Amino acid sequence: MNLSFGIDFGTSGARGVVIDEEGAILSEMRHCWQTGTMDWVKCWREALWSLLGQIPGVLRREIGAIAINGTSSTILLTDEAGEPVDAPLLYNDGRGITALGRLSQIAPPNHTVLSATSSLAKLLWMQELPSFAKARYLLHQADWLGFLLHGKLGISDYHNALKLGYDVEKLQYPEWLEQLQIPLQLPQVLAPGTAIGELCPQIVAEFGFKGDCLVVAGTTDSIAAFLASGAKFPGEAVTSLGSTLVLKLLSRRRIEDARYGIYSHRLGDLWLTGGASNTGGAVLKHFFSDVELVRLSAEIDPTQASDLDYYPLLKPGDRFPINDPQLLPRLEPRPDDNKEFLHGLLESMARIETRGYELLQKLGADPLTHIYTAGGGAANPAWTAIRQRCLKLPILSSINTEAAYGTALLAMGRI
């Protein structure tokens, strides 16, 4: 057997999937974040080791390749030994807004980096920190986790590097980026799935992996969810209903427009265009327990539209389809009936999703044919029915809803 292991570091926890050469799942494992986690570096390291330890020993000895996905634009700075010099900035951290004035003088109009949450905006903000003097490398979350496995510093993939300003069409850093003269090492960028190196000998010895097990360049969590879905043709899309709401539409045309938080990832000869909103499951879980969500959703009549018009956010700021770091949440009026409140939230999120897809097509993406759904929200029939009514298109469950599965396919070379 030649097995592959895919690891997903998402917004709510880490997951792993071991698959065989036919793509069948042989084992799954997970590690949830502790509520109120502050030390993310420690948390990520523990999660990675936890996932490796959960793989049945008989399978570990057969794994030939490992790939990792991480949340897009989650970055950290490390010293020359790969140790973080400060806390990471997470995917939704908007402190980079202070760098947008400087960036807009250099980057092309409406470029992906012209967002408060882009990797490059975050890097410029971090450049002002006292700890920056000790920094030698900028790494994305997936890059650093990969480094823990293969031991090679400063390597990324062109999915993670997109929001750093890397030109995924020309496969090089653009000249305008070099004008910033950032005094540290930007990552060497590889195609996702490219072999980087073998597992470190100490990991092989500790966990009983094969000595020639390869670690390959990874991807982002939302692209991994797309890869897992089974979508392959222009016009097919994947909505990831996790803590956040992420839209990906496969298109023959590349769409980039920072005014709306829209960007395109390269996927072979096609483009994966879309964006990510801060609305989603995290808002629902703020107001309702998992048990309440199931019970109340079952009481909703999804054929009837809710009159409540919300913009469900937990704090100010959204990225797509409205890219405004100051956008205020709209969660009033709140009815006394919790079922009505949940109905209003689900309906409003469906409207945001619909608006996002309409915007992508208006800007030139391929016409939407049908939508696959990934993430925890895919298991909510009422939400699915509401979305189908708003979108007026077939909504299918992804062939596999776990981003870790898409990452395992990437490790195997099936993408």
Side-chain angles (χ1 to χ4, degrees):
M1 282 196 299
N2 190 28
L3 311 181
S4 296
F5 184 42
I7 302 173
D8 163 42
F9 270 70
T11 52
S12 59
R15 295 176 174 84
V17 171
V18 179
I19 63 172
D20 66 16
E21 291 165 310
E22 304 301 315
I25 295 174
L26 302 183
S27 183
E28 298 181 77
M29 55 287 309
R30 64 178 52 216
H31 181 99
C32 294
W33 308 142
Q34 295 294 320
T35 306
T37 294
M38 296 301 290
D39 188 347
W40 284 108
V41 167
K42 181 175 180 238
C43 172
W44 296 343
R45 205 189 303 252
E46 287 176 353
L48 181 59
W49 259 241
S50 167
L51 294 180
L52 295 178
Q54 289 179 55
I55 304 169
V58 66
L59 298 183
R60 271 185 232 152
R61 293 189 289 273
E62 302 295 336
I63 292 173
I66 299 174
I68 301 178
N69 77 63
T71 47
S72 178
S73 286
T74 293
I75 64 166
L76 67 169
L77 303 176
T78 79
D79 61 19
E80 62 278 354
E83 278 300 312
V85 300
D86 212 322
L89 291 195
L90 301 188
Y91 62 96
N92 58 354
D93 193 308
R95 283 177 281 185
I97 191 171
T98 58
L100 293 186
R102 180 182 168 197
L103 261 185
S104 63
Q105 304 292 313
I106 296 169
N110 303 325
H111 194 281
T112 308
V113 299
L114 297 173
S115 164
T117 57
S118 77
S119 302
L120 187 56
K122 289 187 177 94
L123 171 57
L124 296 186
W125 182 84
M126 292 175 101
Q127 203 170 344
E128 304 303 317
L129 298 176
S131 57
F132 191 84
K134 296 180 285 184
R136 294 295 175 268
Y137 292 93
L138 171 130
L139 298 176
H140 302 90
Q141 180 187 34
D143 307 340
W144 184 72
L145 291 164
F147 155 73
L148 294 183
L149 296 184
H150 55 63
K152 297 184 178 181
L153 264 173
I155 299 176
S156 188
D157 62 87
Y158 60 56
H159 289 160
N160 273 293
L162 177 78
K163 295 181 187 175
L164 187 56
Y166 185 78
D167 189 329
V168 294
E169 222 159 356
K170 295 181 180 176
L171 299 178
Q172 62 187 34
Y173 284 108
E175 286 182 15
W176 62 260
L177 184 57
E178 291 166 12
Q179 290 176 34
L180 289 169
Q181 296 183 317
I182 298 164
L184 52 63
Q185 184 70 44
L186 295 181
Q188 174 192 353
V189 181
L190 305 176
T194 304
I196 297 173
E198 295 177 350
L199 269 179
C200 292
Q202 61 267 36
I203 296 176
V204 171
E206 181 180 348
F207 292 99
F209 284 97
K210 295 199 309 185
D212 61 352
C213 178
L214 287 172
V215 182
V216 308
T219 183
T220 66
D221 58 341
S222 58
I223 292 185
F226 186 93
L227 299 177
S229 72
K232 294 175 184 171
F233 303 106
E236 294 185 327
V238 173
T239 297
S240 294
L241 300 174
S243 299
T244 58
L245 173 74
V246 184
L247 275 54
K248 300 284 185 193
L249 171 59
L250 202 54
S251 174
R252 283 166 287 209
R253 183 176 171 193
R254 182 183 184 185
I255 310 294
E256 301 272 338
D257 201 323
R259 290 175 300 171
Y260 308 108
I262 292 171
Y263 52 92
S264 291
H265 283 283
R266 187 180 189 134
L267 202 63
D269 296 328
L270 298 172
W271 294 96
L272 203 47
T273 185
S277 170
N278 291 335
T279 196
V283 178
L284 300 178
K285 292 196 174 187
H286 177 75
F287 292 107
F288 303 104
S289 69
D290 289 347
V291 172
E292 287 173 324
L293 282 171
V294 171
R295 178 176 59 80
L296 293 170
S297 295
E299 296 174 6
I300 291 171
D301 179 359
T303 65
Q304 299 299 311
S306 170
D307 293 330
L308 297 166
D309 183 20
Y310 298 144
Y311 203 103
L313 299 169
L314 290 180
K315 61 182 182 179
D318 202 11
R319 300 170 284 164
F320 167 84
I322 300 173
N323 188 10
D324 178 359
Q326 263 94 43
L327 183 70
L328 294 176
R330 194 166 68 246
L331 293 161
E332 300 286 342
R334 176 167 180 174
D336 294 332
D337 186 336
N338 278 338
K339 178 190 74 175
E340 285 184 33
F341 182 48
L342 177 59
H343 190 178
L345 291 174
L346 296 178
E347 187 94 24
S348 299
M349 289 177 189
R351 290 191 202 113
I352 292 170
E353 180 185 4
T354 302
R355 181 175 178 177
Y357 280 122
E358 286 173 347
L359 188 56
L360 293 176
Q361 292 166 99
K362 181 181 175 184
L363 293 173
D366 277 64
L368 193 59
T369 58
H370 58 265
I371 300 165
Y372 292 90
T373 307
N380 187 320
W383 198 359
T384 300
I386 291 168
R387 294 170 54 231
Q388 196 149 304
R389 171 167 49 77
C390 290
L391 288 156
K392 300 178 175 63
L393 280 169
I395 293 180
L396 311 171
S397 287
S398 292
I399 290 173
N400 194 294
T401 60
E402 291 288 355
Y405 182 79
T407 312
L409 293 176
L410 184 68
M412 182 165 282
R414 294 270 292 269
I415 304 301

